[in-house]
Amino acid sequence: QAWKFYRNTLMTEAADHGWPVIRHMLLVFPNNPSVYKEDLRYQFMIGTEILVAPIHEEWSESVKVFLPEGSTWLHAWTNTSYQGNNMWIDISSPLGYPVALYPKGSSVGEEFAGNLMKIYHLPILNLNKTDL
């Protein structure tokens, strides 16, 4: 529900141009040589605006995320900002709150984050503490 508005746009792009809705980082950042060198199989983009990094290790409550340079990324659940410097960072991700980041200034990302808060009736969370 939170990204339904964007999903509709992405489905139209898929039908018109053949672009996938779920994209490997290479498709979104083709001019970034670091993206070619890193093992990015556990994170993906929804379109060009939402980076998702699900937990892939049993019992883990955080996930390492590679952030390409050139953008400041905002966490959709917490509004925490992370600088994209072609580096790996560890981000808290308790059960039910997958890492979902968007570039600062993205209207799609801001609407997505706002929708999450409305749907789940949540304030901005601090996932490093016991807000949950």
Side-chain angles (χ1 to χ4, degrees):
Q1 285 289 348
W3 64 290
K4 183 178 180 179
F5 72 98
Y6 189 40
R7 184 178 60 226
N8 293 340
T9 299
L10 294 174
M11 293 303 291
T12 300
E13 284 182 1
D16 293 348
H17 304 288
W19 300 334
V21 172
I22 304 299
R23 303 173 188 180
H24 190 280
M25 302 288 288
L26 289 171
L27 292 175
V28 180
F29 303 99
N31 298 320
N32 183 333
S34 293
V35 173
Y36 289 84
K37 297 174 188 172
E38 299 295 336
D39 180 2
L40 303 175
R41 63 184 150 174
Y42 297 117
Q43 66 184 61
F44 57 89
M45 298 291 296
I46 297 175
T48 59
E49 301 297 314
I50 302 171
L51 187 158
V52 179
I55 292 287
H56 58 89
E57 294 177 0
E58 191 173 18
W59 305 111
S60 183
E61 290 191 1
S62 67
V63 65
K64 291 197 179 302
V65 181
F66 179 82
L67 295 179
E69 68 183 350
S71 292
T72 297
W73 295 85
L74 298 176
H75 196 299
W77 293 103
T78 66
N79 205 35
T80 303
S81 65
Y82 302 95
Q83 189 59 44
N85 289 324
N86 283 341
M87 295 176 59
W88 290 91
I89 60 170
D90 199 51
I91 300 178
S92 179
S93 183
L95 185 64
Y97 298 92
V99 171
L101 307 170
Y102 61 92
K104 185 175 183 177
S106 165
S107 60
V108 167
E110 290 171 5
E111 186 171 347
F112 169 66
N115 288 346
L116 281 176
M117 298 308 121
K118 287 177 196 168
I119 290 167
Y120 295 102
H121 306 287
L122 296 170
I124 297 296
L125 300 174
N126 181 348
L127 297 180
N128 294 320
K129 300 206 189 271
T130 55
D131 286 347
L132 308 176

